Amino acid sequence: MTYIHSTLFILHILFGAAALILFWVPVFTQKGKLNHVKFGRFYANTMYIVAGTGALMALIVMAVPLVIKADMMTHNTDPERFAHIMRVFWGFLFYLSILSFTITKHGITVLKVKNNRAALRTFGYLTPIIALAAGGPVIFYIGYVNAQTLHMIFGVLGLLVGSSMLKYCLQKHMESGAWLPEHIGSMIGSAIGAYTAFIAFGGRTVLSDLGQWQIIFWIAPGVIGGIASALLCKKYKSMFA
């Protein structure tokens, strides 16, 4: 089990690094052209692997935390409390994997179907979106009970993102061209997740002296990306208008 977790971790890091680079190719290539579409798909497929490996690692740790994270324990460690802490934290990471997968898939699919949103109303497509929206309050409650600010922040975020995607899929009438800002916002949201993980986890050794201030590096990519997404969506909405 430890070997499987280690292999998944290596794949997660390698494909995560690739996603950070691939994201920028569609950004700087003309919309609708071959390179934009092709590299957009490369990025999406890479993010699916990142989300999948992340989810599997989380499930393994939650199943056997004392085996997978044995190197973090000392002779003074309370095994029961340690297992609880690991499950709370890796449950949060499992939820983030669902968020990354769902928002990436949504960004690609709305571009594919454009104004024909009937394909977005299938059981298979809506299930992860509903799981994301429904899981938000659960993650928030777990964060509240265990005094975990990040759980509460991302619980609210997941609920809002999931609800917004559900509204887009199910709303009967939508403005023509609404698929474009939905696509842009979703893909930027996907990249926010990738860069948040890179900064928060990749830099945690460097940032360890900051203590509670590390939370800034979890939130900053979302704030910056959110502003960029809002500006771009406004630009393309005005073009369609």
Side-chain angles (χ1 to χ4, degrees):
M1 193 67 76
T2 303
Y3 175 75
I4 295 173
H5 185 273
S6 298
T7 303
L8 289 170
F9 178 74
I10 293 170
L11 291 173
H12 187 76
I13 296 299
L14 290 176
F15 280 92
L20 297 178
I21 298 170
L22 285 171
F23 170 73
W24 294 102
V25 179
V27 170
F28 290 111
T29 51
Q30 190 173 352
K31 307 296 179 289
K33 296 298 183 180
L34 178 61
N35 283 342
H36 180 87
V37 175
K38 180 170 68 175
F39 280 95
R41 288 173 181 162
F42 287 162
Y43 168 77
N45 290 332
T46 302
M47 282 300 296
Y48 295 153
I49 296 174
V50 172
T53 53
L56 288 173
M57 283 193 296
L59 290 172
I60 291 172
V61 173
M62 288 190 288
V64 284
L66 301 183
V67 174
I68 303 301
K69 296 299 178 180
D71 59 317
M72 297 177 63
M73 301 175 65
T74 67
H75 65 281
N76 294 322
T77 301
D78 178 353
E80 188 174 338
R81 175 167 173 72
F82 179 80
H84 173 73
I85 291 171
M86 288 296 104
R87 287 184 174 119
V88 167
F89 181 67
W90 283 86
F92 168 66
L93 296 185
F94 179 75
Y95 184 71
L96 291 189
S97 296
I98 295 175
L99 173 61
S100 296
F101 169 79
T102 305
I103 199 169
T104 303
K105 183 180 179 182
H106 187 66
I108 291 296
T109 308
V110 296
L111 176 64
K112 189 180 298 184
V113 303
K114 296 186 178 177
N115 291 319
N116 182 21
R117 290 179 296 120
L120 307 180
R121 296 173 184 143
T122 63
F123 176 79
Y125 188 80
L126 291 175
T127 297
I129 299 177
I130 293 170
L132 179 64
V138 176
I139 292 296
F140 180 90
Y141 176 75
I142 293 172
Y144 176 77
V145 170
N146 293 277
Q148 297 294 322
T149 306
L150 280 177
H151 286 62
M152 292 188 283
I153 292 173
F154 280 87
V156 173
L157 178 64
L159 173 62
L160 294 176
V161 171
S163 300
S164 175
M165 287 192 286
L166 276 176
K167 179 182 177 182
Y168 181 84
C169 294
L170 300 177
Q171 187 170 321
K172 288 185 177 181
H173 302 288
M174 192 72 64
E175 292 180 4
S176 178
W179 56 268
L180 184 53
E182 188 76 6
H183 165 70
I184 293 171
S186 295
M187 298 312 289
I188 291 178
S190 171
I192 288 171
Y195 274 91
T196 298
F198 172 74
I199 295 170
F201 284 102
R204 61 182 168 178
T205 301
V206 178
L207 306 173
S208 59
D209 292 337
L210 295 177
Q212 292 296 321
W213 288 102
Q214 291 183 56
I215 196 173
I216 293 173
F217 295 92
W218 282 89
I219 299 173
V223 173
I224 296 170
I227 294 171
S229 176
L231 292 174
L232 280 171
C233 289
K234 183 179 180 180
K235 171 186 173 182
Y236 284 103
K237 279 182 179 178
S238 64
M239 287 174 62
F240 269 94

